[in-house]
Amino acid sequence: MDRNSGQKSASQMLYPPVDPFDQRMLTVGEGHDIYVEQSGNPKGLPAIVLHGGPGGGCSPAMRRYFDPDRYRIILFDQRGCGRSRPFASVEHNTTWHLVRDIEKIRETLGIDQWCVFGGSWGATLALIYAETHPDRVLHLALRGVFTMTRAELDWFYGGGAGHFWPETWARFIEPIPEEERDDLIAAYARRLFTGDPVEEVRFAKAWSSWENALASVASNGVGGEPPGQYARAFARLENHYFTHLGWMEEGQILRDIGRIAHIPGDIVQGRLDMICPPRTAWAVARAWDKADLHMVPNAGHALSEPGITAKLVQVMDRVARG
């Protein structure tokens, strides 16, 4: 839920808004059609943006981290969210479906190799995609790294982050009976998939607000009131992926990091990230010799944190220069 947090404070560091030169719905199979867009220079260096969540969707601000004269900027909404259809669907919606979709986009657009840019869950997906298709990736730019391990999920949904935000944590667990609070992912799953849209939206807002409240280092601990249908897609998809641990083996990303040993990368990490603590980014960078870790002081998780925005733009400018 980090696509809008603090955007105004960071906007002066971004490139000016740019409109897409291509927008399309791409049929990817199993009844899914995904939204894909291109902006910038059609002959520029290709870069694909992998949004967070799962279920967050892309936003126009994501185009602005790239020099539109140098980059061919590709955004898409992953299965079940944003403008992709069917909306909020978890059917045929796994990490491996998304990896296949990314390849379908690359092949459809006639791109041989590209840069991959992703944050939070988008960083997870970027790493898994690169480990699966290491010959297709020129550079990885990651932010707020998450590797879908039990320890990371336990930190955020088992009370770790709640030690820093006890009042916000109390609001998150309040709708769940005490006897179910030992597994909040499972407890919320039982309420996000009832078939009753009103109940699903109510619990989706509580789920989404917990994450949104902790995204920015400047947060006051209140997650706001996310739009109902956006929250429903976000919460259902995120919960679905977390329930299944991303359909990955425990520790898989770090285990297979050698597959991307030849790929240069930059990891931009907020020192005070409450959602994806810095330890994971540090561990990934330590195992991956060609990665540069940029630890941003006084920054949290959100893409739009000023320090994170500035560093990401700087990184992508450097990559474009070669």
Side-chain angles (χ1 to χ4, degrees):
M1 292 285 290
D2 56 26
R3 60 181 190 160
N4 293 318
S5 303
Q7 223 163 58
K8 291 182 180 178
S9 63
S11 63
Q12 62 190 25
M13 305 172 195
L14 299 172
Y15 282 94
V18 58
D19 292 327
F21 63 78
D22 172 44
Q23 294 174 288
R24 64 180 81 186
M25 296 297 291
L26 180 64
T27 297
V28 291
E30 296 90 26
H32 284 270
D33 296 286
I34 61 172
Y35 170 80
V36 181
E37 66 168 53
Q38 300 186 79
S39 57
N41 181 352
K43 295 184 179 180
L45 179 63
I48 186 164
V49 177
L50 308 182
H51 66 69
C58 62
S59 72
M62 293 175 180
R63 306 168 193 152
R64 299 177 60 192
Y65 288 79
F66 307 87
D67 182 343
D69 293 329
R70 293 176 180 237
Y71 278 101
R72 179 181 177 184
I73 309 154
I74 299 136
L75 273 59
F76 77 106
D77 289 328
Q78 296 160 27
R79 292 188 183 206
C81 64
R83 285 150 286 192
S84 296
R85 294 293 180 267
F87 187 70
S89 172
V90 299
E91 297 296 321
H92 305 289
N93 195 337
T94 71
T95 302
W96 304 107
H97 286 103
L98 300 187
V99 168
R100 194 183 73 192
D101 292 350
I102 295 167
E103 271 295 272
K104 175 97 178 222
I105 294 169
R106 185 189 62 77
E107 292 167 356
T108 300
L109 299 182
I111 294 168
D112 183 44
Q113 293 181 303
W114 50 8
C115 302
V116 182
F117 178 106
S120 194
W121 157 251
T124 319
L125 186 56
L127 285 163
I128 284 291
Y129 171 76
E131 290 179 353
T132 307
H133 299 284
D135 56 330
R136 298 303 180 188
V137 180
L138 292 168
H139 178 271
L140 280 166
L142 310 177
R143 183 266 314 168
V145 175
F146 172 62
T147 58
M148 193 67 82
T149 63
R150 290 184 183 274
E152 290 165 291
L153 292 172
D154 285 347
W155 160 262
F156 200 63
Y157 295 103
H163 287 298
F164 290 84
W165 292 94
E167 70 280 27
T168 309
W169 175 253
R171 287 196 298 272
F172 176 57
I173 67 173
E174 190 275 331
I176 305 299
E178 286 192 27
E179 61 270 20
E180 295 185 58
R181 291 178 185 172
D182 60 326
D183 188 343
L184 288 163
I185 293 175
Y188 267 90
R190 287 188 281 272
R191 293 157 176 85
L192 291 169
F193 297 95
T194 63
D196 178 346
V198 174
E199 181 177 5
E200 289 179 0
V201 166
R202 181 165 73 88
F203 282 95
K205 286 183 175 183
W207 174 280
S208 303
S209 292
W210 162 239
E211 184 166 337
N212 203 35
L214 272 63
S216 171
V217 74
S219 173
N220 62 2
V222 178
E225 181 76 5
Q229 289 308 307
Y230 173 84
R232 179 171 174 265
F234 180 86
R236 281 166 56 92
L237 287 168
E238 197 168 71
N239 183 281
H240 170 64
Y241 273 71
F242 294 167
T243 295
H244 294 92
L245 297 174
W247 297 269
M248 292 184 284
E249 296 176 18
E250 180 70 10
Q252 180 174 333
I253 286 176
L254 271 176
R255 183 197 70 196
D256 295 342
I257 203 77
R259 295 181 181 178
I260 63 169
H262 63 290
I263 301 173
D266 287 89
I267 299 171
V268 178
Q269 176 69 40
R271 173 68 74 183
L272 304 177
D273 190 334
M274 281 285 160
I275 297 174
C276 299
R279 180 178 179 178
T280 302
W282 177 81
V284 169
R286 192 179 184 199
W288 176 19
D289 288 343
K290 296 200 77 172
D292 289 327
L293 175 61
H294 311 275
M295 201 70 77
V296 182
N298 301 317
H301 183 70
L303 173 62
S304 54
E305 295 269 16
I308 290 175
T309 292
K311 180 55 69 174
L312 284 169
V313 171
Q314 182 184 89
V315 163
M316 299 318 297
D317 282 351
R318 191 202 73 229
V319 172
R321 291 194 300 268

